[in-house]
Amino acid sequence: MNRYIIAAVALAGAALPIQSAVACRGDFLGAYNTAITPQDTRSSSGARLSSVAAIIQQDRANYHRFGRADGPDQYDDMFLSAESRALIPRWMSPVPRPLATAIRRGDAYINVQVYEGCIAVSAG
């Protein structure tokens, strides 16, 4: 009887969508939600940003340095300085393609989870 229950659970699990977010390891440092808008897709000098990490980095610079938060942006205490924001491209884990496309378009609401050495981004 137990093998039938195990088989049913396995089949039910196979029908679930595959998680494409990378699981980060290490100490959890914090999380925040933020809206990625067109202002986040351009550097401080106006150049178009193409990488997801650079856009998220600019979002945090807009929030902390320039005071240009989008309405639903949340505070974080991890990326207050330029030095800490410089870690974003190095720590960024892969982002699912549809979400990356929305971020590059400047049309996404995301949840950012920060661990020591790893940043995971998912739809918020």
Side-chain angles (χ1 to χ4, degrees):
M1 179 85 165
N2 281 343
R3 71 177 176 206
Y4 296 112
I5 293 172
I6 292 170
V9 170
L11 286 174
L16 296 174
I18 296 172
Q19 292 284 349
S20 54
V22 172
C24 290
R25 296 173 192 210
D27 293 335
F28 179 72
L29 302 178
Y32 64 92
N33 292 316
T34 189
I36 301 297
T37 64
Q39 79 168 345
D40 302 317
T41 64
R42 299 216 172 258
S43 71
S44 303
S45 63
R48 181 89 171 139
L49 301 171
S50 60
S51 82
V52 169
I55 292 168
I56 293 172
Q57 187 176 15
Q58 185 64 45
D59 170 75
R60 292 294 86 190
N62 287 341
Y63 187 93
H64 291 296
R65 181 174 179 206
F66 301 114
R68 294 186 300 218
D70 298 303
D73 287 357
Q74 291 181 337
Y75 174 83
D76 74 272
D77 61 1
M78 291 136 327
F79 301 119
L80 299 172
S81 68
E83 292 80 18
S84 62
R85 289 189 296 274
L87 295 172
I88 293 172
R90 291 190 304 201
W91 287 11
M92 185 64 91
S93 61
V95 176
R97 185 171 294 184
L99 182 56
T101 299
I103 290 170
R104 287 187 186 99
R105 199 173 47 236
D107 183 27
Y109 185 70
I110 60 173
N111 176 263
V112 180
Q113 295 187 2
V114 183
Y115 298 81
E116 184 69 35
C118 183
I119 296 172
V121 176
S122 60

